[in-house]
C-alpha cells in the first residue's frame, strides 16, 4: 500500500511537481514566504511527507492583497479588458486545465487521498466545466432600465439604469475535501465578474491550487488578478479575513470556522458568502426502487470517503423495508475496496489527515458508548495511513452526537420512520440544511417532501448530482449564498443605480 507501490505509474508531471517546494503566487511571480517558513503536506495513504510548501502568513497576505488591489485599479489591464476578452481568458484557463487532467487528478489523489479514478472522472471535469460556464457569463452581466415616477418631482423626467459591478478584492478560503474543484468554484465567478482574488488553499491539500496558479500565469491573466497564498487558517486565513482592504470573503469549510470568519469580517463589513457543514437526511420510502435506492444511498455517504459537506449521512428508511435496506447498504459497504488513491482498483481512499482519522474514530466511539451498533464497519482500517471502514450505524436515537453532528467521514446512521410527517420532523431536526435525498416512485409525495425538507438542494431518486448551472448552498447553519448557477455571480457583484434628470 502507499505511493511507493504504484510509483512507477505516477504521472511524471505530478511526480516532479511534488519534489519542488510549493511557493506563493503574487503578481504572477512565485516566492517564498516572507518568514522563510515552510510546512509539510502528507500522503494520507501512508502518513509520510509528500511535499514542502511555503507557509504564508500575515506579511504575505498583505503583499497579496496589495497586488490584488493594484490589479483592480480603474485603469489596470484587468479593468480595461472587455467582457469578451475576460470570458475568452477564463475559457483558455479551462482548456489548459483540461489538457492537464491526468496531472491534476494525480496530484489530487496524492494530496487528498481520493481515488485517482474519481478525481479523473469528477473533480477535474467539474472544475473545467464551472470555468467554462462562468466564462460564458462574463458577457452577460447586465443591468436594467427602470421607469421611476418621483412623487415629489411632478413633471420631471428621469433616466435610470443599473450597473452590476465587481465587488473588488476578494479573499477566498477553501477546504481540503475537493481542493481543485473548490478553487474552481471560487475563482470562476470571481473572474467572470471582474474581481481580483487572493486564494488560500487548505493547509492539508495545497498542491493542486499551486499547480493551478501556474496555469493562471500560462493563460495570461494580468499580474495581481489571481494571487495564491498557501498557509494555515489561524494565520494566513485569519489575516485575509480581517484585512481592511479586502472587500469580500468567500469561504467553504466548517460551520465553526464560518462563524469565526463572520466575526473577523465585521471590522470593515466585508461581504461574506459561506458554504458550510451539513448532516443531510436521505429518505427511502417503501415504494422506491429498492436496488437503486440502496446503491444511491451507499454512494451518497461513501463518495469521497464521506468527506462531503452534502453527504447523505442520516439515512431514514420506512419501517417495513428497514431491515432489507440496512442489509443491502451494509453489503455494499463491506464490498467497497478501500486502498490508496493511486491504486486504480481503489474505490475508497483514506481520510485526508490524522486529525480527521481521530475525529471520525472519536465519533464512532461516542456512538458505541451511547448504544449504537455497527451493521458494517465501525473502526480504523489497516495499520498505516488514515483509513476508516465504510460504516453503517443502527440502534441510534435522535439525541446522539452521531445523529446530530457532522462526522465528515464514511459513517451513516440508519433510522426507521413511519410516515411523511414523522420523517419530515426527524429530517428537519438538525442545525444544518445543505442537502436532502428522497427515494420514491410516487412523484407527488417526492415533490411534497422536496418542499417540506429544509435544504438548499433536494435530490429525488439520485444523489450527489452537481452541475455548474445548478445553484448549491445551504439553508440554516449550512451557509449564506449560492455557488454555481447564475446565483453565484451575485456573490461577486454589487448593483449601482444611476439616475439622470433629463
Ligand atoms: P476542517 O475543520 O474540516 O479542516 P476548516 O473549516 O477548519 O475545515 O478549514 C477550511 C479552511 O478554512 C481551510 O483553508 C483553513 O485553513 C481555513 N481556516 C481555518 N481556520 C480559519 C480561521 N480562523 N480564519 C480563516 N480561515 C480559517
Amino acid at each position: 500500500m502507499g505511493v511507493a507501490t504504484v510509483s512507477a505509474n505516477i504521472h511524471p508531471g505530478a511526480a516532479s511537481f511534488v519534489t519542488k517546494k510549493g511557493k506563493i503566487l503574487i503578481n504572477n511571480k512565485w516566492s517564498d514566504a516572507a518568514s522563510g517558513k515552510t510546512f509539510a503536506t502528507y500522503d494520507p495513504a501512508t502518513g509520510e511527507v509528500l511535499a514542502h510548501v511555503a507557509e504564508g502568513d500575515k506579511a504575505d497576505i498583505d503583499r497579496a492583497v496589495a497586488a490584488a488591489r493594484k490589479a483592480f485599479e480603474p485603469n489596470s489591464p484587468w479593468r480595461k479588458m472587455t467582457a469578451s476578452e475576460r470570458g475568452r481568458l477564463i475559457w483558455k484557463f479551462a482548456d489548459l486545465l483540461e489538457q492537464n487532467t491526468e496531472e491534476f487528478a494525480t496530484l489530487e489523489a496524492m494530496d487528498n487521498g481520493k481515488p485517482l479514478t474519481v478525481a479523473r472522472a469528477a473533480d477535474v471535469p467539474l472544475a473545467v466545466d464551472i470555468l467554462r460556464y462562468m466564462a460564458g457569463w462574463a458577457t452577460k452581466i447586465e443591468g436594467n432600465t427602470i421607469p421611476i415616477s418621483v412623487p415629489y418631482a411632478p413633471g420631471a423626467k428621469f433616466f435610470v439604469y443599473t450597473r452590476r459591478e465587481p465587488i473588488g478584492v476578494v479573499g477566498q478560503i477553501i477546504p481540503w475535501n475537493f481542493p481543485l474543484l473548490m478553487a474552481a468554484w471560487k475563482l470562476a465567478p470571481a473572474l467572470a465578474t471582474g474581481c481580483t482574488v487572493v486564494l488560500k488553499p487548505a493547509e492539508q491539500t495545497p498542491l493542486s491550487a499551486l499547480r493551478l496558479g501556474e496555469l493562471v500565469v500560462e493563460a495570461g491573466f494580468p499580474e495581481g488578478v489571481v494571487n495564491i497564498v498557501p498557509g494555515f487558517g489561524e494565520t494566513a486565513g485569519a489575516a485575509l479575513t480581517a484585512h481592511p482592504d479586502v472587500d469580500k470573503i468567500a469561504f467553504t469549510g466548517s460551520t465553526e470556522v464560518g462563524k469565526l470568519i463572520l466575526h473577523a469580517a465585521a471590522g470593515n463589513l466585508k461581504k461574506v458568502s459561506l458554504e458550510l457543514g451539513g448532516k443531510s437526511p436521505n429518505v427511502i420510502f417503501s415504494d422506491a426502487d429498492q436496488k437503486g435506492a440502496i446503491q444511491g444511498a451507499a454512494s451518497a455517504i461513501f463518495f469521497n470517503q464521506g468527506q462531503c459537506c452534502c453527504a447523505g449521512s442520516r439515512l431514514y428508511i420506512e419501517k417495513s423495508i428497514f431491515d432489507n435496506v440496512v442489509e443491502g447498504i451494509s453489503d455494499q459497504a463491506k464490498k467497497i475496496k478501500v486502498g490508496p488513491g493511486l491504486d486504480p482498483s481503489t474505490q475508497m481512499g483514506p481520510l485526508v489527515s490524522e486529525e480527521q482519522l481521530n475525529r471520525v474514530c472519536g465519533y464512532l466511539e461516542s456512538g458505541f458508548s451511547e448504544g449504537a451498533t455497527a451493521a458494517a464497519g465501525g473502526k480504523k482500517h489497516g495499520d498505516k495511513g488514515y483509513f476508516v471502514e465504510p460504516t453503517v450505524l443502527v440502534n441510534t436515537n435522535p439525541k446522539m452526537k452521531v445523529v446530530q453532528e457532522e462526522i465528515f467521514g464514511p459513517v451513516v446512521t440508519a433510522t426507521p420512520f413511519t410516515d411523511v410527517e414523522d420523517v419530515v420532523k426527524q429530517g428537519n431536526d438538525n442545525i444544518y440544511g445543505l442537502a436532502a435525498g428522497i427515494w420514491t416512485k410516487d412523484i407527488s409525495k417526492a415533490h411534497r417532501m422536496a418542499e417540506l425538507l429544509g435544504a438548499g438542494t433536494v435530490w429525488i431518486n439520485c444523489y450527489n448530482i452537481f452541475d455548474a448551472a445548478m445553484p448549491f448552498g445551504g439553508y440554516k447553519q449550512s451557509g449564506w449564498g449560492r455557488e454555481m448557477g447564475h446565483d453565484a455571480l451575485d456573490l461577486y457583484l454589487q448593483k449601482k443605480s444611476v439616475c439622470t434628470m433629463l
Side-chain angles (χ1 to χ4, degrees):
M1 248 168 67
V3 171
T5 58
V6 283
S7 60
N9 300 322
I10 291 182
H11 184 278
S16 110
F17 192 77
V18 296
T19 63
K20 295 183 287 191
K21 182 166 75 174
K23 296 202 175 189
I24 294 172
L25 180 67
I26 296 175
N27 270 333
N28 285 359
K29 288 180 199 68
W30 294 97
S31 63
D32 289 327
S35 67
K37 284 204 245 171
T38 61
F39 66 100
T41 173
Y42 297 89
D43 173 355
T46 62
E48 286 160 17
V49 172
L50 181 61
H52 295 277
V53 174
E55 185 189 325
D57 61 21
K58 184 174 181 308
D60 308 287
I61 290 289
D62 285 348
R63 212 155 57 83
V65 171
R69 175 58 62 196
K70 186 149 185 288
F72 193 72
E73 276 172 5
N75 282 319
S76 70
W78 180 238
R79 296 302 296 281
K80 283 200 287 199
M81 212 175 256
T82 65
S84 167
E85 285 167 337
R86 213 165 61 234
R88 274 178 282 154
L89 199 48
I90 301 168
W91 194 278
K92 185 170 169 200
F93 186 33
D95 284 346
L96 289 173
L97 177 58
E98 189 174 50
Q99 285 157 22
N100 290 284
T101 295
E102 199 56 26
E103 181 178 346
F104 274 93
T106 307
L107 278 177
E108 221 54 343
M110 291 169 89
D111 207 10
N112 166 279
K114 66 178 65 202
L116 174 59
T117 48
V118 173
R120 188 190 283 139
D123 296 63
V124 185
L126 284 169
V128 170
D129 204 47
I130 184 90
L131 287 169
R132 293 207 174 122
Y133 173 85
M134 288 297 173
W137 271 112
T139 47
K140 294 158 199 75
I141 296 168
E142 300 168 345
N144 307 101
T145 56
I146 301 174
I148 63 166
S149 10
V150 187
Y152 54 81
K157 281 208 164 298
F158 297 93
F159 168 47
V160 173
Y161 65 94
T162 56
R163 295 173 48 79
R164 291 166 80 212
E165 298 181 345
I167 274 185
V169 174
V170 177
Q172 303 189 316
I173 299 177
I174 55 172
W176 43 258
N177 56 344
F178 295 90
L180 171 70
L181 185 57
M182 292 301 103
W185 276 21
K186 293 278 181 281
L187 288 174
L191 295 172
T193 50
C195 292
T196 59
V197 173
V198 177
L199 175 78
K200 193 204 83 64
E203 53 269 40
Q204 297 85 349
T205 55
L207 298 182
S208 55
L210 297 182
R211 180 70 183 98
L212 200 61
E214 294 185 349
L215 300 189
V216 164
V217 180
E218 192 179 337
F221 285 96
E223 283 183 5
V225 171
V226 177
N227 306 278
I228 303 177
V229 184
F232 290 92
E234 304 75 35
T235 51
L240 186 56
T241 314
H243 202 293
D245 205 26
V246 169
D247 301 301
K248 178 211 159 66
I249 286 281
F251 171 76
T252 298
S254 60
T255 292
E256 190 190 343
V257 173
K259 290 178 185 176
L260 292 178
I261 298 236
L262 212 49
H263 284 287
N268 68 337
L269 285 178
K270 344 179 135 55
K271 314 292 183 272
V272 177
S273 53
L274 303 169
E275 205 264 271
L276 307 174
K279 187 75 178 175
S280 299
N282 196 10
V283 179
I284 304 183
F285 285 98
S286 58
D287 58 8
D289 159 18
Q290 241 186 72
K291 200 161 159 249
I294 286 170
Q295 270 172 7
S299 100
I301 181 64
F302 299 132
F303 175 65
N304 213 42
Q305 299 69 245
Q307 302 169 135
C308 296
C309 42
C310 57
S313 50
R314 285 183 295 145
L315 188 56
Y316 293 101
I317 305 164
E318 195 163 348
K319 229 173 202 158
S320 58
I321 57 163
F322 184 79
D323 291 341
N324 266 353
V325 171
V326 167
E327 194 185 323
I329 290 172
S330 302
D331 284 350
Q332 298 258 331
K334 289 172 197 160
K335 274 196 278 184
I336 291 174
K337 188 163 180 302
V338 178
L342 288 179
D343 183 333
S345 65
T346 288
Q347 293 169 314
M348 202 173 95
L351 300 185
V352 74
S353 63
E354 191 170 5
E355 190 185 345
Q356 278 307 115
L357 173 69
N358 292 336
R359 185 186 141 97
V360 172
C361 291
Y363 271 112
L364 289 173
E365 277 162 31
S366 137
F368 296 141
S369 73
E370 290 181 302
T373 52
K379 59 183 191 308
K380 185 177 185 301
H381 169 95
D383 51 11
K384 195 164 74 163
Y386 313 136
F387 298 91
V388 171
E389 292 174 346
T391 298
V392 180
L393 295 181
V394 290
N395 296 318
T396 60
N397 72 57
K399 295 279 167 283
M400 286 183 186
K401 268 168 51 166
V402 288
V403 177
Q404 285 300 330
E405 297 181 16
E406 182 176 44
I407 298 177
F408 225 65
V411 181
V412 67
T413 59
T415 309
F417 70 88
T418 48
D419 54 22
V420 166
E421 196 187 339
D422 175 30
V423 78
V424 166
K425 190 159 172 283
Q426 294 200 60
N428 286 337
D429 175 22
N430 199 265
I431 61 163
Y432 297 113
L434 192 56
I438 300 164
W439 301 82
T440 174
K441 284 186 187 154
D442 178 340
I443 56 163
S444 53
K445 185 161 69 184
H447 292 290
R448 228 167 49 238
M449 286 286 295
E451 184 182 341
L452 293 170
L453 289 171
T457 298
V458 177
W459 285 294
I460 298 174
N461 295 331
C462 60
Y463 208 94
N464 278 338
I465 298 298
F466 293 97
D467 189 89
M470 189 167 89
F472 180 78
Y475 277 35
K476 299 194 269 183
Q477 293 191 37
S478 288
W480 286 1
R482 294 292 176 270
E483 301 201 273
M484 302 201 287
H486 53 78
D487 294 65
L489 300 167
D490 293 336
L491 303 181
Y492 295 92
L493 291 167
Q494 50 197 345
K495 198 169 255 188
K496 179 181 280 174
S497 294
V498 181
C499 174
T500 311
M501 185 178 250
L502 300 176

XYZ file of all heavy atoms in Angstrom, residues 124-182:
466
model
N -11.769 16.909 -11.777
C -11.162 17.759 -12.821
C -12.217 18.195 -13.852
O -12.334 19.402 -14.137
C -9.939 17.085 -13.474
C -9.280 18.056 -14.449
C -8.932 16.639 -12.411
N -13.021 17.277 -14.402
C -14.025 17.724 -15.383
C -15.014 18.744 -14.810
O -15.406 19.681 -15.500
C -14.751 16.437 -15.780
C -13.816 15.338 -15.443
C -12.983 15.798 -14.294
N -15.406 18.578 -13.550
C -16.331 19.558 -12.950
C -15.656 20.923 -12.800
O -16.291 21.969 -12.978
C -16.828 19.069 -11.580
C -17.891 17.964 -11.607
C -18.091 17.398 -10.203
C -19.213 18.470 -12.158
N -14.361 20.909 -12.500
C -13.625 22.175 -12.372
C -13.533 22.863 -13.736
O -13.740 24.077 -13.862
C -12.231 21.925 -11.791
N -13.250 22.079 -14.769
C -13.183 22.635 -16.131
C -14.541 23.225 -16.499
O -14.652 24.328 -17.038
C -12.779 21.532 -17.143
C -12.932 22.018 -18.576
C -11.354 21.059 -16.873
N -15.584 22.487 -16.153
C -16.933 22.886 -16.558
C -17.395 24.185 -15.905
O -18.016 25.024 -16.558
C -17.892 21.742 -16.200
C -19.123 21.791 -17.079
O -18.952 21.941 -18.300
O -20.232 21.719 -16.538
N -17.081 24.378 -14.626
C -17.536 25.621 -13.969
C -16.775 26.812 -14.563
O -17.341 27.897 -14.740
C -17.399 25.556 -12.425
C -17.981 26.814 -11.756
C -15.975 25.422 -11.956
C -19.395 26.743 -11.415
N -15.507 26.598 -14.928
C -14.758 27.699 -15.557
C -15.403 28.066 -16.891
O -15.606 29.242 -17.200
C -13.290 27.303 -15.754
C -12.455 27.264 -14.462
C -11.107 26.599 -14.700
C -12.236 28.669 -13.894
N -15.789 27.051 -17.663
C -16.401 27.338 -18.975
C -17.773 27.977 -18.803
O -18.128 28.918 -19.523
C -16.523 26.048 -19.793
C -15.170 25.513 -20.180
C -15.212 24.686 -21.462
N -13.857 24.336 -21.828
C -13.420 23.077 -21.970
N -14.240 22.056 -21.804
N -12.165 22.854 -22.304
N -18.535 27.465 -17.841
C -19.878 28.026 -17.599
C -19.766 29.498 -17.232
O -20.476 30.350 -17.760
C -20.549 27.218 -16.486
C -21.872 27.782 -16.026
C -23.064 27.468 -16.696
C -21.940 28.631 -14.925
C -24.270 27.998 -16.277
C -23.139 29.157 -14.499
C -24.308 28.841 -15.182
O -25.499 29.377 -14.755
N -18.840 29.807 -16.336
C -18.704 31.195 -15.882
C -18.038 32.066 -16.961
O -18.334 33.260 -17.053
C -17.901 31.255 -14.580
C -18.685 30.720 -13.383
S -20.164 31.735 -13.041
C -20.950 30.752 -11.765
N -17.185 31.469 -17.796
C -16.594 32.228 -18.913
C -17.716 32.787 -19.790
O -17.666 33.932 -20.239
C -15.675 31.324 -19.728
N -18.742 31.986 -19.981
C -19.876 32.416 -20.799
C -20.653 33.564 -20.172
O -21.231 34.403 -20.873
N -20.668 33.615 -18.840
C -21.422 34.679 -18.156
C -20.738 36.043 -18.238
O -21.392 37.073 -18.070
C -21.638 34.327 -16.671
C -22.895 33.549 -16.438
C -22.996 32.254 -16.046
C -24.233 34.024 -16.606
N -24.310 31.878 -15.959
C -25.090 32.957 -16.300
C -24.796 35.239 -16.999
C -26.479 33.064 -16.362
C -26.176 35.352 -17.064
C -26.993 34.273 -16.757
N -19.413 36.050 -18.491
C -18.686 37.332 -18.457
C -19.364 38.365 -19.355
O -19.441 39.549 -19.006
C -17.231 37.116 -18.874
N -19.893 37.941 -20.493
C -20.509 38.877 -21.448
C -22.003 39.087 -21.195
O -22.688 39.747 -21.986
C -20.338 38.347 -22.885
O -20.699 36.967 -22.894
C -18.911 38.523 -23.373
N -22.511 38.528 -20.121
C -23.970 38.594 -19.915
C -24.339 39.212 -18.571
O -25.394 38.946 -18.010
C -24.562 37.187 -20.046
C -24.415 36.665 -21.464
C -24.477 35.160 -21.573
C -23.871 34.665 -22.879
N -22.394 34.694 -22.946
N -23.434 40.018 -18.052
C -23.702 40.662 -16.760
C -24.339 42.018 -17.061
O -23.659 42.984 -17.370
C -22.398 40.777 -15.953
C -21.893 39.370 -15.646
C -22.630 41.577 -14.674
C -20.492 39.307 -15.117
N -25.658 42.034 -16.990
C -26.402 43.205 -17.469
C -27.136 43.898 -16.334
O -27.469 43.279 -15.331
C -27.440 42.746 -18.505
C -26.805 42.060 -19.711
C -27.827 41.346 -20.580
O -28.975 41.136 -20.122
O -27.465 41.001 -21.723
N -27.413 45.160 -16.531
C -28.287 45.886 -15.606
C -29.666 46.052 -16.218
O -30.024 45.371 -17.181
N -30.461 46.953 -15.633
C -31.822 47.216 -16.140
C -31.997 48.701 -16.398
O -31.265 49.520 -15.870
C -32.889 46.869 -15.081
C -32.735 45.483 -14.548
O -32.210 45.274 -13.467
N -33.204 44.530 -15.314
N -33.043 49.027 -17.157
C -33.524 50.411 -17.129
C -34.812 50.387 -16.340
O -35.606 49.432 -16.434
C -33.786 50.963 -18.543
O -34.708 50.106 -19.196
C -32.508 51.072 -19.339
N -34.996 51.440 -15.529
C -36.111 51.418 -14.576
C -36.948 52.696 -14.724
O -36.410 53.797 -14.614
C -35.560 51.311 -13.133
C -34.716 50.038 -13.000
C -36.687 51.333 -12.111
C -34.011 49.875 -11.687
N -38.249 52.542 -15.007
C -39.106 53.731 -15.076
C -39.402 54.219 -13.660
O -39.928 53.451 -12.854
C -40.377 53.207 -15.749
C -40.391 51.742 -15.479
C -38.988 51.299 -15.208
N -39.025 55.445 -13.333
C -39.342 55.939 -11.990
C -40.329 57.111 -12.108
O -40.368 57.812 -13.130
C -38.078 56.356 -11.202
C -37.327 57.527 -11.842
C -37.147 55.182 -10.998
C -36.297 58.155 -10.908
N -41.125 57.298 -11.064
C -42.114 58.388 -11.052
C -42.036 59.025 -9.683
O -42.699 58.583 -8.751
C -43.505 57.831 -11.315
O -43.524 56.437 -11.282
N -41.181 60.001 -9.548
C -40.862 60.550 -8.224
C -42.013 61.443 -7.744
O -42.312 62.457 -8.385
C -39.553 61.369 -8.291
C -39.117 61.804 -6.902
C -38.473 60.549 -8.976
N -42.686 61.087 -6.649
C -43.907 61.827 -6.253
C -43.643 63.291 -5.916
O -44.515 64.129 -6.139
C -44.413 61.060 -5.026
C -43.340 60.131 -4.639
C -42.435 59.941 -5.795
N -42.430 63.599 -5.425
C -42.177 64.994 -5.033
C -41.531 65.799 -6.157
O -41.081 66.924 -5.942
C -41.341 65.062 -3.750
C -40.050 64.279 -3.828
C -38.933 64.806 -4.451
C -39.976 63.000 -3.305
C -37.773 64.083 -4.553
C -38.822 62.262 -3.401
C -37.714 62.812 -4.016
O -36.572 62.082 -4.128
N -41.414 65.206 -7.365
C -40.859 65.953 -8.501
C -41.820 65.831 -9.689
O -41.474 65.255 -10.728
C -39.481 65.430 -8.858
N -43.057 66.377 -9.528
C -44.051 66.192 -10.591
C -43.570 66.827 -11.893
O -42.996 67.913 -11.884
C -45.295 66.909 -10.047
C -44.817 67.786 -8.948
C -43.550 67.216 -8.428
N -43.771 66.108 -12.982
C -43.412 66.643 -14.300
C -41.957 66.401 -14.685
O -41.611 66.493 -15.862
N -41.092 66.092 -13.705
C -39.682 65.883 -14.052
C -39.510 64.522 -14.730
O -40.257 63.584 -14.456
C -38.831 65.946 -12.790
N -38.524 64.464 -15.593
C -38.275 63.194 -16.283
C -36.882 62.692 -15.915
O -35.935 63.477 -15.815
C -38.347 63.406 -17.790
C -39.767 63.476 -18.314
C -39.811 62.983 -19.774
C -41.210 62.667 -20.249
N -41.853 61.596 -19.518
N -36.794 61.387 -15.728
C -35.514 60.792 -15.332
C -35.211 59.582 -16.191
O -36.118 58.903 -16.675
C -35.569 60.345 -13.866
C -35.788 61.466 -12.889
C -37.076 61.793 -12.475
C -34.718 62.195 -12.401
C -37.283 62.826 -11.580
C -34.923 63.228 -11.504
C -36.205 63.546 -11.081
N -33.924 59.342 -16.342
C -33.465 58.105 -16.981
C -32.672 57.343 -15.913
O -31.679 57.862 -15.396
C -32.582 58.465 -18.186
C -31.821 57.301 -18.749
C -32.441 56.081 -19.001
C -30.460 57.421 -19.051
C -31.736 55.015 -19.530
C -29.743 56.356 -19.578
C -30.380 55.151 -19.820
N -33.155 56.179 -15.566
C -32.498 55.399 -14.510
C -32.051 54.043 -15.068
O -32.831 53.352 -15.722
C -33.454 55.176 -13.312
C -32.838 54.217 -12.300
C -33.792 56.496 -12.640
N -30.818 53.744 -14.818
C -30.367 52.395 -15.172
C -29.507 51.837 -14.035
O -29.035 52.595 -13.177
C -29.599 52.393 -16.504
C -28.297 53.151 -16.509
C -27.089 52.522 -16.271
C -28.285 54.529 -16.780
C -25.889 53.229 -16.304
C -27.090 55.234 -16.817
C -25.892 54.579 -16.568
O -24.715 55.267 -16.591
N -29.350 50.527 -14.026
C -28.485 49.902 -13.015
C -27.277 49.270 -13.706
O -27.355 48.841 -14.861
C -29.221 48.806 -12.223
O -29.730 47.840 -13.137
C -30.354 49.374 -11.398
N -26.188 49.281 -12.977
C -24.969 48.599 -13.417
C -24.659 47.516 -12.399
O -24.877 47.714 -11.204
C -23.793 49.585 -13.442
C -23.890 50.704 -14.440
C -22.751 51.696 -14.233
N -21.450 51.053 -14.099
C -20.717 50.594 -15.126
N -21.137 50.749 -16.370
N -19.558 49.997 -14.921
N -24.153 46.410 -12.863
C -23.709 45.372 -11.913
C -22.190 45.332 -11.983
O -21.619 44.944 -12.997
C -24.347 44.038 -12.252
C -25.850 44.073 -11.966
C -26.552 42.918 -12.602
N -26.422 41.702 -11.821
C -26.375 40.487 -12.372
N -26.401 40.343 -13.666
N -26.279 39.417 -11.603
N -21.576 45.776 -10.913
C -20.123 45.976 -10.920
C -19.427 44.978 -9.988
O -20.005 44.564 -8.983
C -19.817 47.407 -10.455
C -20.422 48.458 -11.384
C -20.106 49.880 -10.948
O -19.678 50.079 -9.792
O -20.290 50.787 -11.777
N -18.180 44.647 -10.315
C -17.454 43.708 -9.437
C -17.259 44.299 -8.036
O -17.041 45.505 -7.899
C -16.109 43.532 -10.138
C -15.984 44.672 -11.095
C -17.381 45.075 -11.462
N -17.320 43.448 -7.041
C -17.163 43.894 -5.648
C -15.761 44.415 -5.381
O -15.569 45.347 -4.614
C -17.533 42.737 -4.694
C -19.039 42.748 -4.465
C -16.771 42.813 -3.392
C -19.540 41.757 -3.471
N -14.747 43.813 -6.018
C -13.386 44.314 -5.808
C -12.418 43.208 -5.479
O -12.362 42.181 -6.162
N -11.679 43.398 -4.386
C -10.680 42.413 -3.968
C -11.379 41.352 -3.108
O -12.010 41.680 -2.104
C -9.555 43.091 -3.161
C -8.591 42.047 -2.597
C -8.818 44.101 -4.035
N -11.243 40.125 -3.537
C -11.960 39.037 -2.877
C -10.966 38.066 -2.231
O -10.022 37.620 -2.892
C -12.810 38.271 -3.913
C -13.500 37.100 -3.266
C -13.817 39.194 -4.564
N -11.187 37.742 -0.963
C -10.421 36.692 -0.297
C -11.212 35.398 -0.379
O -12.401 35.379 -0.079
N -10.556 34.335 -0.803
C -11.263 33.052 -0.951
C -10.523 31.991 -0.141
O -9.318 31.776 -0.336
C -11.318 32.667 -2.434
C -11.994 33.771 -3.271
C -12.259 33.352 -4.701
O -11.392 32.755 -5.339
N -13.438 33.656 -5.212
N -11.251 31.361 0.745
C -10.646 30.362 1.643
C -11.354 29.033 1.397
O -12.582 28.955 1.510
C -10.792 30.804 3.111
C -10.071 32.142 3.304
C -10.241 29.737 4.051
C -10.199 32.726 4.699
N -10.574 28.023 1.051
C -11.211 26.770 0.613
C -10.744 25.570 1.445
O -9.708 25.619 2.086
C -10.963 26.521 -0.896
C -9.461 26.532 -1.224
C -11.704 27.560 -1.722
C -9.157 26.114 -2.647
N -11.541 24.513 1.413
C -11.254 23.336 2.240
C -10.444 22.275 1.479
O -10.080 22.469 0.314
C -12.650 22.811 2.547
C -13.414 23.108 1.292
C -12.835 24.370 0.716
N -10.254 21.148 2.131
C -9.372 20.111 1.593
C -10.127 18.938 0.955
O -9.510 18.024 0.436
C -8.488 19.560 2.717
C -9.221 19.310 4.008
C -9.210 20.108 5.114
C -10.104 18.218 4.308
N -10.033 19.592 6.089
C -10.589 18.425 5.624
C -10.528 17.095 3.607
C -11.493 17.547 6.244
C -11.420 16.218 4.218
C -11.889 16.452 5.520
N -11.467 18.940 0.990
C -12.175 17.735 0.510
C -12.224 17.629 -1.017
O -12.162 16.549 -1.573
C -13.563 17.608 1.123
C -14.434 18.804 0.883
O -13.971 19.881 0.504
N -15.727 18.639 1.112
N -12.341 18.797 -1.694
C -12.247 18.837 -3.164
C -11.332 20.013 -3.499
O -11.802 21.058 -3.957
C -13.633 19.046 -3.786
C -14.581 17.914 -3.559
C -15.409 17.884 -2.441
C -14.645 16.859 -4.458
C -16.285 16.832 -2.227
C -15.514 15.801 -4.245
C -16.336 15.785 -3.126
N -10.033 19.857 -3.278
C -9.150 21.031 -3.334
C -9.203 21.785 -4.668
O -9.340 23.007 -4.690
C -7.765 20.435 -3.095
C -8.007 19.122 -2.428
C -9.321 18.631 -2.919
N -9.135 21.059 -5.771
C -9.141 21.724 -7.084
C -10.535 22.273 -7.408
O -10.692 23.412 -7.841
C -8.725 20.719 -8.167
C -8.895 21.236 -9.598
C -7.873 22.323 -9.898
C -8.792 20.101 -10.609
N -11.533 21.451 -7.173
C -12.897 21.852 -7.532
C -13.349 23.075 -6.732
O -13.988 23.982 -7.269
C -13.852 20.665 -7.308
C -15.292 20.878 -7.742
C -15.373 21.247 -9.220
C -16.127 19.631 -7.468
N -12.997 23.097 -5.459
C -13.390 24.256 -4.641
C -12.658 25.512 -5.110
O -13.229 26.606 -5.104
C -13.109 24.006 -3.157
C -13.983 22.932 -2.529
S -15.749 23.290 -2.646
C -16.243 22.209 -3.978
